[in-house]
Amino acid sequence: MQVTQHLPAWRIGLTGGIGSGKSTVARMLADAGATVIDADAISRQVTAPGGAAIAPIADRFGASAITADGAMDRDVMRRLVFGDSAARLQLEAIIHPLVAQESARQAQLAESAGSTCLVFDIPLLVESGRWRQRLDQVLVVDCEEATQISRVMAREAASGWTPETVRKVIDGQASRAQRRAAADLCIYNEDLSLAALGLTVKQILQRFKL
C-alpha cells in the first residue's frame, strides 16, 4: 500500500492594527484555500462561559470581571487593562498560553488533513514575542492611523466606541513602524477597493502555491 506523505505546510503569521483590514485579508486567504487559525476567536472561546480562562481570571481580578452568565466581562476588563499595563500583562499571561495551545492543536489537525498553508491570524503577533520563531513568513496589513479610527468608528459607533477609545487601543498595540519592521510581506491597505485588495492578496498567495 502506498503511503502519501504531506510536505510541511507553510506557516504564515497575519497581523495588523485595529481597523487595518486584517480580518478582510484573513477571509480572502481562507477563500483561497488557506487554513486560518484565528487567535481572537480562540481567545473568545476560552473566555466564554465554561472557558478555560474563566476561573483564573476570576481568581486574579475578582467576580466583577465575570458576567452573570459566566463569561469574562469584556467592557470591565477593557477599561482595566487600558489604564493599567500590569493588569494587561497579567490578563495576557492567563489567556495567551491557552490560545497558543489551542492554535497548535488546530494547526496539527489541519496539517494532518493535508492543508498546505496555515495562516495564524494574531492581532498581537509583534507584541507577544512568542510567535516569530514558529512562522515561515509574517504578513502585515497596514494603513494610516486616521483610517484605522474612521473604520473602527464606522463599525463600532453603535457599541459606544469613541475616537478616544480607538486611540487607546492603537496606543496599546505595537506601532505601525514596529509591525512593518517585523514583516516579510506588507499590504498597505489605504484607499484600496475590495477588488484591488483581493488582487494584492492573490499576488501574495502565488508564492504559497494557493
Side-chain angles (χ1 to χ4, degrees):
M1 182 177 71
Q2 184 177 6
V3 177
T4 301
Q5 292 186 333
H6 297 299
L7 293 174
W10 281 97
R11 291 173 173 255
I12 313 303
L14 172 65
T15 194
I18 187 171
S20 64
K22 176 183 63 64
S23 296
T24 301
V25 170
R27 287 193 295 271
M28 291 175 172
L29 292 167
D31 289 344
T35 298
V36 176
I37 298 168
D38 186 338
D40 259 357
I42 297 171
S43 177
R44 290 192 294 272
Q45 173 186 324
V46 301
T47 56
I54 295 301
I57 288 172
D59 287 343
R60 171 59 189 85
F61 298 103
S64 63
I66 309 300
T67 64
D69 65 353
M72 183 183 76
D73 192 317
R74 293 186 173 276
D75 290 335
V76 168
M77 293 306 301
R78 185 181 295 116
R79 289 192 296 270
L80 177 60
V81 301
F82 282 171
D84 186 339
S85 60
R88 175 176 58 81
L89 291 173
Q90 289 165 349
L91 180 63
E92 290 174 354
I94 294 170
I95 294 177
H96 285 186
L98 296 171
V99 172
Q101 181 181 1
E102 176 61 15
S103 295
R105 188 189 72 83
Q106 291 185 18
Q108 184 176 27
L109 287 175
E111 198 161 6
S112 296
S115 179
T116 59
C117 184
L118 308 178
V119 175
F120 296 85
D121 181 348
I122 309 166
L124 301 180
L125 187 155
V126 174
E127 295 87 333
S128 75
R130 306 175 186 178
W131 280 98
R132 188 61 186 90
Q133 65 271 24
R134 308 176 192 178
L135 303 168
D136 298 311
Q137 301 267 279
V138 171
L139 170 58
V140 169
V141 185
D142 181 47
C143 68
E144 301 296 327
E145 182 176 312
T147 302
Q148 292 180 260
I149 294 170
S150 64
R151 286 175 179 164
V152 176
M153 288 303 300
R155 76 182 189 218
E156 300 288 356
S159 300
W161 283 59
T162 66
E164 290 71 28
T165 305
V166 185
R167 286 192 187 93
K168 284 184 179 180
V169 175
I170 292 172
D171 290 344
Q173 296 180 334
S175 69
R176 292 178 59 210
Q178 287 171 322
R179 277 192 294 268
R180 290 196 301 266
D184 298 295
L185 303 159
C186 187
I187 297 174
Y188 184 54
N189 186 26
E190 185 77 23
D191 298 325
L192 287 181
S193 66
L194 277 177
L197 179 60
L199 180 60
T200 301
V201 171
K202 184 176 180 181
Q203 291 169 342
I204 287 173
L205 285 171
Q206 289 175 354
R207 70 167 60 192
F208 305 123
K209 297 180 171 53
L210 288 175

